[in-house]
Amino acid sequence: MKVKFGVDEWRIIEQEFDPAANRFSESIFSLGNEHMGLRGFFEEDYSGDSLPGTYLAGVFYPDKTRVGWWKIGYPEFFAKMINSANWIGVKIASGGASLDLAQCRIRDFRRELDMKEGRLTRSFVWSGADGRETACCFTRFLSMAENNLACLAVEITPLNYAGTLSLTPYLDGDVVNEDANYAEQFWEEVAQTVASDWALLVMRTKKSEFTVATAMAVQLFLDRDEVFPSREAIAAPQKVGWSCEVQVEQGQKLTLHKLIAVCTSRDYPVAGLNEICLAKLRGAAAQGYAALWAEHRREMTRKWEESDLTIRGDHLAQQGIRYNIFQLNQTYTGKDPRLNIGPKGFTGEKYGGGTYWDTEAFCFPFYLYTDPEVARNLLYYRYLHLQRARENAAQLGLKGALYPMVTVDGRECHNEWEITFEEIHRNGAIAYAIYQYTEYTGDSSYLIQYGLEVLVELSRFWASRVTYQPRRDQYLILGVTGPNEYENNVNNNWYTNTMAAWTLEYTLNSLETVRRGAGAALERLVARLGLDPSELRQWAAIIAKMYYPRCEAAGIFEQNDQYLDKEMQLVSELDPAELPLNKHWSWDRILRSNFIKQADVLQGLYFFPERFDRECLRRNFDFYEPRTVHESSLSASVHSILASRIGYRDKAYELYLRTARLDLDNYNADTDDGVHLTSMAGSWLAIVQGFAGMLVREGRLQLNPYVPAQWQGYSFQIAFRGRKLKLEIAADRVCIRQLSGEALSLDIWGRECLTQPGQRTVIPARPESAPRVQDAG
Ligand code: BGC
């Protein structure tokens, strides 16, 4: 795999501008701050190929569904996170020539994403046709401290001439989505104002009627001195700004600071929106660029203190995992429970910015282990959508709640019947996240207040979706698609049946737990939901008689009925030129083959390590992994974790590499349309749950760590039941620094050990040496 970017532990460095790979770089150099995000497109005009993207979390357009053949139950629209007003724009001209990297000659190009500080810079020397050499440098950041604000700095220095530089900072609401079903314009202008020192553009989405106010203020400096050239206002439809000209001496640096405030009607009443936005802008202007930058950096430092993962002895791996953590933190900080994590975050249009099962199955543990409050907000997001999930189930003629396959506001957006109606295992992942949260934190308050209601509705769904087959005296689940989307409309997907029965069981257990701990709350819930004892009896019957396909001879679970009737082939027998299959084979051929897109049976074995022993896991892994093409970005991480659990260390590392640098190395040649954000969480899990073997069983933290041969060691921090622990793993020992909270008893390599607040406990790998306690220092 070709490493395109300079290898550095904290930075992503690009040293050559390649117009043919522009979209790829734009994805990689995306920034976000939970409230908004943007791809790495340019401030100045660019006439080459580009996918400009400026996104606002939770602001969507209901793009009318387009399908070949309408099926009852399809959603009316796909809610898309849409490209919104471009606020980075600054046109640049020198001596009448305009800067455009698709047309101009440049040298010494360098683009650098500083992940520690959350800042993107780009610099080059522009060599004009007339021999003029102009140094240009652009810096931008989206404040993590005050997420309505963003700043950019443009520095221009004439290197071998004195002359007039012209700058036109602007806001442009005339933007489109490439992914628009009917090439519609999603925005209309509401208002605009260009004052002497600020400009405001107010746009509204059609249909969904989100109003967005974007305001900018600009300061100009010649070297260190502020200058005030006369500004000519631009006030075109959907566009505001000024242009100005500044006379600059050779070697003098002209700097433009553009401060931006963006406020939406999602957060503020429309009536006062413009004033709020302008007040934020004025506040930012009073603070100035340097103070805003310092505030942002402080917040970045805090974020990294919670979530950094260091790897000793492998810079490439270190850069990869930091990039993934960086993008996760830029996309979702958990401050707003109305928001969630799209598979591409703020880095592209694909998947519409919607929420998938990816959140619960892959992202959730990352947030749970680093900041459980954030994880709680992710759960609460689903609670807020419960009513819509009930409506969704009812629309399909079912009871209880079916969460959507894809959603922004709780309504289903997906419109391929074999997925929308059949990939119902997503309900299982939502129940599993409630379980994980309660088990990991030991805090039942979420379960009591919100979780149990969700579980009851999920159970009602499963109870109405199963089929009782009297001939076999068994419950079946017919017509589903499992996680492996290379099999559609199958019967008895083992994973789906397992998740369904487990959800019923967990719900029954939770009802009992809540009855014991909060009987009055339970009574109220039972009355409100009209929960009848006959329902509970039915759930118990389904658990007892659920059918699980298996192959006794091979000692494996069968992915679904008739999977083993297929012609059996291994991925290693395929001509590599045919991979990825989804780009080379007809859909029909893929469906008929035994090739698996992503973990399916193995996803279930991953979720329930206490139910299936290592031998069972090994047999299933040995059977399914060689038939898996890993054509979902979510696949490799789960397989890597399972390989670690079995003890297949080389395999675990090989699969880990596929997930850790998936985007930086453009592994699947598909990062152009955005990074694979949800799979980035999987790479973190491959280290923490895989190499470090972290699990919580019956409230007890357990680690069974090893260090991949390619590394010297690694460390990460977790938050566990009121404590913060920093774990440093080396081949011969584990060191635990307890940063806060009460003493903790945990198991490392199956041995019990105790950590104390403020102390560093060293646990040697060899059992004969006793743990040592040192001052944390
Ligand atoms: C995967 C799904 C996943 C979706 C979004 C698909 O390719 O098969 O499991 O939810 O991508 O990441």
Side-chain angles (χ1 to χ4, degrees):
M1 191 53 48
K2 191 168 171 292
V3 176
K4 175 178 156 84
F5 300 105
V7 179
D8 181 282
E9 293 194 0
W10 279 109
R11 291 172 304 166
I12 311 294
I13 303 162
E14 185 182 47
Q15 281 172 309
E16 206 178 323
F17 174 54
D18 175 4
N22 190 37
R23 286 181 181 231
F24 167 52
S25 295
E26 285 176 344
S27 299
I28 292 293
F29 291 110
S30 298
L31 290 179
N33 68 359
E34 184 171 54
H35 171 62
M36 53 190 176
L38 78 161
R39 285 170 56 83
F41 64 105
F42 299 154
E43 287 81 352
E44 75 279 12
D45 285 354
Y46 182 67
S47 57
D49 181 47
S50 164
L51 178 66
T54 310
Y55 307 111
L56 289 163
V59 172
F60 66 88
Y61 180 79
D63 200 16
K64 198 165 155 5
T65 301
R66 200 170 69 178
V67 285
W69 196 268
W70 188 267
K71 304 211 164 34
I72 294 177
Y74 272 170
E76 293 292 324
F77 61 83
F78 195 109
K80 284 178 182 157
M81 171 182 83
I82 49 175
N83 191 13
S84 54
N86 168 3
W87 43 257
I88 60 167
V90 182
K91 283 177 189 291
I92 297 170
S94 166
S98 294
L99 179 62
D100 172 351
L101 292 203
Q103 309 291 334
C104 300
R105 227 162 19 99
I106 56 165
R107 62 177 167 83
D108 300 339
F109 178 88
R110 186 177 173 96
R111 180 153 41 174
E112 194 175 298
L113 172 65
D114 186 324
M115 300 184 278
K116 191 176 200 166
E117 304 200 320
R119 169 181 57 174
L120 180 65
T121 52
R122 179 170 56 102
S123 58
F124 52 86
V125 174
W126 168 21
S127 311
D130 53 3
R132 286 178 173 217
E133 298 253 293
T134 312
C136 303
C137 179
F138 302 81
T139 306
R140 64 174 84 154
F141 67 94
L142 275 66
S143 176
M144 289 289 278
E146 173 30 62
N147 65 12
N148 296 105
L149 302 179
C151 300
L152 51 115
V154 181
E155 297 166 336
I156 308 184
T157 313
L159 296 178
N160 60 356
Y161 66 97
T164 305
L165 295 179
S166 121
L167 296 177
T168 309
Y170 63 89
L171 306 172
D172 184 6
D174 185 13
V175 293
V176 293
N177 265 50
E178 251 184 27
D179 174 30
N181 287 342
Y182 295 92
E184 276 179 86
Q185 262 285 351
F186 296 158
W187 295 95
E188 58 198 3
E189 187 180 310
V190 177
Q192 58 163 265
T193 315
V194 187
S196 60
D197 58 350
W198 56 266
L200 174 76
L201 179 65
V202 187
M203 304 288 298
R204 181 171 51 218
T205 57
K206 295 180 188 165
K207 294 190 201 162
S208 48
E209 300 201 342
F210 289 101
T211 305
V212 178
T214 309
M216 70 167 177
V218 162
Q219 277 186 299
L220 283 163
F221 301 86
L222 254 184
D223 287 335
R224 285 166 174 269
D225 301 326
E226 186 163 3
V227 289
F228 302 91
S230 63
R231 299 173 176 192
E232 195 181 322
I234 306 172
Q238 308 188 6
K239 194 165 184 177
V240 291
W242 309 273
S243 52
C244 59
E245 294 196 334
V246 183
Q247 184 61 35
V248 185
E249 296 306 318
Q250 180 174 343
Q252 238 181 354
K253 183 160 76 184
L254 174 64
T255 303
L256 174 142
H257 287 165
K258 187 174 176 189
L259 310 184
I260 302 295
V262 186
C263 295
T264 76
S265 58
R266 225 177 51 85
D267 297 314
Y268 305 103
V270 180
L273 191 65
N274 302 0
E275 283 63 41
I276 291 169
C277 186
L278 286 173
K280 286 197 183 283
L281 183 74
R282 286 195 195 100
Q287 277 183 281
Y289 185 96
L292 293 167
W293 167 239
E295 215 176 67
H296 163 74
R297 271 176 63 196
R298 265 198 301 279
E299 184 55 22
M300 286 300 294
T301 307
R302 202 189 62 73
K303 272 272 129 314
W304 279 115
E305 272 167 14
E306 273 168 12
S307 55
D308 193 19
L309 191 156
T310 60
I311 295 171
R312 283 192 293 120
D314 189 338
H315 286 349
L316 217 65
Q318 178 68 79
Q319 185 188 41
I321 191 70
R322 283 224 172 98
Y323 182 69
N324 296 351
I325 297 170
F326 172 78
Q327 284 297 351
L328 285 161
N329 284 340
Q330 297 270 298
T331 306
Y332 185 77
T333 65
K335 286 183 193 147
D336 184 344
R338 297 168 303 163
L339 299 178
N340 208 276
I341 307 154
K344 297 268 168 193
F346 293 123
T347 70
E349 296 178 7
K350 196 171 174 197
Y351 299 119
T355 307
Y356 285 65
W357 77 303
D358 305 31
T359 294
E360 284 80 15
F362 293 85
C363 303
F364 186 76
F366 166 75
Y367 294 104
L368 178 64
Y369 297 172
T370 53
D371 188 347
E373 270 306 300
V374 175
R376 192 182 166 110
N377 273 348
L378 283 172
L379 296 182
Y380 188 56
Y381 170 92
R382 293 293 194 178
Y383 180 77
L384 293 174
H385 291 178
L386 181 57
Q387 187 46 33
R388 288 200 160 147
R390 288 182 177 116
E391 289 160 17
N392 192 33
Q395 175 159 350
L396 305 187
L398 292 159
K399 295 198 177 120
L402 173 61
Y403 279 93
M405 184 66 200
V406 183
T407 192
V408 171
D409 65 351
R411 284 175 289 186
E412 177 63 272
C413 288
H414 199 276
N415 59 33
E416 281 168 275
W417 66 270
E418 61 277 28
I419 291 180
T420 315
F421 306 146
E422 299 207 330
E423 210 170 318
I424 51 177
H425 65 78
R426 57 203 187 237
N427 258 9
I430 291 166
Y432 188 76
I434 298 172
Y435 158 75
Q436 264 196 308
Y437 176 83
T438 312
E439 175 78 355
Y440 185 83
T441 61
D443 164 20
S444 316
S445 66
Y446 182 82
L447 181 70
I448 296 167
Q449 270 182 284
Y450 309 109
L452 192 56
E453 186 174 345
V454 173
L455 290 172
V456 166
E457 297 296 10
L458 294 176
S459 292
R460 283 176 161 169
F461 168 79
W462 288 121
S464 72
R465 184 62 168 78
V466 296
T467 301
Y468 177 67
Q469 169 46 255
R471 233 176 339 112
R472 293 161 63 158
D473 189 23
Q474 277 181 318
Y475 286 92
L476 315 176
I477 305 186
L478 307 176
V480 301
T481 296
N484 168 24
E485 291 175 347
Y486 288 178
E487 290 267 3
N488 294 159
N489 197 31
V490 296
N491 295 331
N492 296 309
N493 170 256
W494 181 86
Y495 173 78
T496 307
N497 289 18
T498 300
M499 291 312 287
W502 173 84
T503 302
L504 296 170
E505 195 181 320
Y506 180 54
T507 308
L508 289 177
N509 291 342
S510 300
L511 284 165
E512 190 48 32
T513 313
V514 176
R515 190 185 61 74
R516 274 188 265 113
L522 182 65
E523 272 176 34
R524 283 194 299 275
L525 184 70
V526 166
R528 188 155 56 82
L529 300 182
L531 187 61
D532 191 88
S534 64
E535 289 186 80
L536 311 194
R537 285 195 295 277
Q538 189 201 4
W539 300 351
I542 297 169
I543 297 166
K545 293 184 178 176
M546 178 62 86
Y547 166 65
Y548 302 101
R550 56 193 300 148
C551 170
E552 299 295 346
I556 58 165
F557 302 114
E558 187 174 3
Q559 185 179 270
N560 45 260
D561 286 355
Q562 295 184 326
Y563 175 79
L564 292 171
D565 293 344
K566 292 184 161 196
E567 184 192 344
M568 285 293 141
Q569 256 191 301
L570 303 182
V571 178
S572 58
E573 292 161 1
L574 285 169
D575 176 353
E578 293 188 87
L579 294 169
L581 294 183
N582 61 25
K583 297 226 164 96
H584 296 92
W585 282 15
S586 72
W587 188 240
D588 162 69
R589 189 173 174 197
I590 289 178
L591 291 179
R592 279 185 287 108
S593 82
N594 74 159
F595 293 112
I596 300 170
K597 184 180 179 189
Q598 67 203 89
D600 195 296
V601 165
L602 295 180
Q603 185 78 33
L605 298 183
Y606 158 67
F607 277 159
F608 302 113
E610 68 289 352
R611 294 195 167 195
F612 306 102
D613 65 22
R614 204 162 104 154
E615 256 315 287
C616 167
L617 173 59
R618 189 193 55 71
R619 284 192 306 272
N620 281 282
F621 188 94
D622 287 353
F623 181 80
Y624 285 110
E625 199 282 330
R627 292 167 172 80
T628 304
V629 283
H630 302 294
E631 288 178 13
S632 158
S633 66
L634 300 174
S635 187
S637 59
V638 175
H639 284 86
S640 173
I641 296 167
L642 294 177
S644 285
R645 285 186 189 159
I646 300 169
Y648 291 166
R649 295 188 177 182
D650 291 343
K651 189 78 190 166
Y653 194 72
E654 174 203 318
L655 289 161
Y656 164 77
L657 282 184
R658 273 180 87 146
T659 132
R661 295 185 55 94
L662 182 82
D663 291 304
L664 284 181
D665 298 340
N666 205 1
Y667 217 101
N668 290 345
D670 65 352
T671 297
D672 295 25
D673 51 18
V675 303
H676 301 79
L677 198 89
T678 44
S679 104
M680 288 178 166
S683 67
W684 191 89
L685 295 181
I687 298 178
V688 174
Q689 295 184 332
F691 304 154
M694 186 170 131
L695 279 179
V696 173
R697 264 192 194 168
E698 287 166 12
R700 226 178 137 70
L701 186 60
Q702 305 183 344
L703 285 109
N704 189 21
Y706 74 95
V707 178
Q710 295 78 354
W711 299 357
Q712 288 160 9
Y714 54 100
S715 75
F716 56 92
Q717 196 171 302
I718 56 165
F720 181 68
R721 301 194 172 198
R723 301 158 184 101
K724 290 224 158 132
L725 304 174
K726 176 146 193 206
L727 297 131
E728 295 160 22
I729 319 281
D732 60 345
R733 64 182 190 282
V734 169
C735 300
I736 307 180
R737 280 169 199 263
Q738 184 162 344
L739 307 173
S740 66
E742 291 171 9
L744 175 72
S745 169
L746 73 163
D747 297 331
I748 305 221
W749 289 305
R751 284 178 276 142
E752 185 177 336
C753 61
L754 189 73
T755 68
Q756 298 284 356
Q759 286 184 337
R760 182 168 184 268
T761 308
V762 183
I763 300 108
R766 279 177 296 115
E768 57 273 20
S769 342
R772 277 178 294 122
V773 175
Q774 303 166 344
D775 281 342

